[in-house]
Amino acid sequence: MKVIVVTGASSGIGLSIAQFLCQKGHSVYGISRTKIHEKNIKSIQADVTDFEQLKNAYQEIYEVEGHIDVLINNAGMGISGTIEDTSFEDASYLFNVNFMGVFNSTKAVLPFMRQSGGGKILNISSVASKLSIPFQAFYSSSKAAINSFSEALANEVAPFKIQVCAVMPGDIRTGFTKNRKKNESDHPDYKNRVDLSVTVMEKDEINGMDPLSAAKVVNRLVRIKRIPLYKTIGFKYKVIVLLAKLLPAKFANNIVGSIYAFKKGK
Ligand SMILES: NC(=O)c1ccc[n+]([C@@H]2O[C@H](COP(=O)([O-])OP(=O)(O)OC[C@H]3O[C@@H](n4cnc5c(N)ncnc54)[C@H](OP(=O)(O)O)[C@@H]3O)[C@@H](O)[C@H]2O)c1
């Protein structure tokens, strides 16, 4: 039985991970701003943008359990729209939640994980970290930052037997699509392409994988002794990530553009 913390456990991927890990017999704590009304998941209300709230939460868990074994930094949100039309406040807020939230949570858990004698930190990134999606620049950048952060972190904490993995899911059916903040662009130079791109993206998400597929992958990462630095979720997305690595960057980026932003006749 492991003590596991999942941020963003009130819905979607985080909820599915928390439920699945509970079923496997682990002691699971779910962190989110709203209360989680799920049997067996111990709900702690905290905002990942607030370091003190997370520090208090992890202190409380450590005092009750005596150890914290796994942290899954999953809380996140999205905004869409052009870079030109995105306000500084919106971009900052997204980075505060998606990236500084991972930093806050990691920084807050590390003293307890070191005292526990080791552990695992799984940061939920995205395939968009490897192939940046047009009109989702800030989301894609925040996920690329998580990857870079995870690489540095892995080397910093290796001597403490703490392992790190950036988990990159492909499209998954969750409330994420509905929760995305859409920055509309009425600008004639952009409007059609933004609308088309967001439509393609939303269609992919709505027809995406079941969140359970992410829960199963995470459960395996919790179970195995040595975890990889990167783990992509979904066969199709593994191929896409591999191609992104092999193809010249400009060529790969043009393909993404043709999928999302430059369809013929638009
Ligand atoms: N769905 C996909 O296709 C997909 C693909 C790749 C990666 N991801 C990533 O997977 C993660 C989960 O997304 P999801 O699809 O499950 O979306 P979701 O259903 O919208 O869930 C987002 C979760 O994050 C929590 N959250 C948001 N802001 C928070 C904050 N400031 N403090 C604490 N918790 C906060 C929400 O809880 P409260 O609102 O209750 O606080 C909720 O539990 C995200 O990091 C997302 O980027 C999703």
Side-chain angles (χ1 to χ4, degrees):
M1 193 275 291
K2 290 192 167 70
V3 177
I4 300 176
V5 182
V6 185
T7 70
S10 64
S11 73
I13 297 172
L15 177 60
S16 187
I17 291 172
Q19 286 171 328
F20 198 74
L21 294 173
C22 275
Q23 285 163 23
K24 296 288 169 190
H26 300 293
S27 178
V28 180
Y29 289 80
I31 306 254
S32 48
R33 292 165 303 177
T34 52
K35 194 165 168 51
I36 303 161
H37 299 280
E38 280 284 322
K39 212 174 129 222
N40 297 330
I41 302 175
K42 294 157 200 126
S43 174
I44 298 182
Q45 280 176 270
D47 191 315
V48 294
T49 63
D50 188 326
F51 173 71
E52 287 303 320
Q53 285 185 12
L54 293 175
K55 195 174 136 198
N56 293 338
Y58 299 157
Q59 171 89 48
E60 195 184 313
I61 297 169
Y62 187 76
E63 278 167 13
V64 172
E65 303 277 357
H67 53 114
I68 298 178
D69 305 306
V70 182
L71 168 65
I72 300 160
N73 283 319
N74 164 78
M77 48 90 64
I79 56 176
S80 64
T82 68
I83 291 171
E84 210 177 313
D85 287 316
T86 300
S87 69
F88 181 83
E89 288 71 25
D90 280 354
S92 303
Y93 182 68
L94 180 135
F95 263 85
N96 252 339
V97 176
N98 287 13
F99 179 67
M100 300 311 274
V102 172
F103 164 51
N104 285 334
S105 174
T106 302
K107 183 179 157 90
V109 89
L110 279 176
F112 305 111
M113 215 173 246
R114 283 194 294 108
Q115 285 169 56
S116 305
K120 289 175 184 168
I121 298 177
L122 312 180
N123 294 326
I124 306 298
S125 171
S126 167
V127 170
S129 64
K130 295 285 181 191
L131 285 161
S132 200
I133 305 175
F135 310 120
Q136 286 227 73
F138 299 97
Y139 177 76
S140 305
S141 311
S142 72
K143 294 299 184 181
I146 288 176
N147 289 6
S148 188
F149 178 88
S150 302
E151 289 182 10
L153 178 68
N155 279 328
E156 288 187 24
V157 298
F160 312 121
K161 297 195 175 69
I162 298 172
Q163 299 183 67
V164 181
C165 177
V167 181
M168 302 188 294
D171 294 307
I172 298 192
R173 292 191 300 275
T174 67
F176 193 84
T177 311
K178 176 174 63 67
N179 296 337
R180 179 182 285 115
K181 182 175 189 307
K182 288 189 199 172
N183 286 331
E184 304 293 340
S185 177
D186 291 328
H187 202 292
D189 289 347
Y190 280 120
K191 190 170 173 19
N192 284 349
R193 287 166 57 227
V194 175
D195 290 349
L196 173 76
S197 174
V198 173
T199 306
V200 171
M201 211 156 57
E202 289 186 337
K203 200 168 142 235
D204 287 346
E205 287 165 0
I206 290 160
N207 297 315
M209 297 174 279
D210 190 298
L212 190 59
S213 51
K216 286 181 177 167
V217 171
V218 166
N219 175 52
R220 189 170 145 67
L221 292 171
V222 167
R223 216 160 31 83
I224 60 177
K225 205 163 174 196
R226 296 198 170 279
I227 60 172
L229 184 52
Y230 286 105
K231 183 75 194 168
T232 307
I233 301 180
F235 177 73
K236 182 171 109 185
Y237 301 97
K238 284 182 187 166
V239 175
I240 291 171
V241 168
L242 180 68
L243 285 176
K245 211 165 160 181
L246 298 176
L247 294 172
K250 189 165 180 180
F251 184 64
N253 200 39
N254 285 346
I255 295 177
V256 176
S258 71
I259 294 170
Y260 287 105
F262 300 106
K263 281 240 163 106
K264 246 168 107 183
K266 301 279 174 179

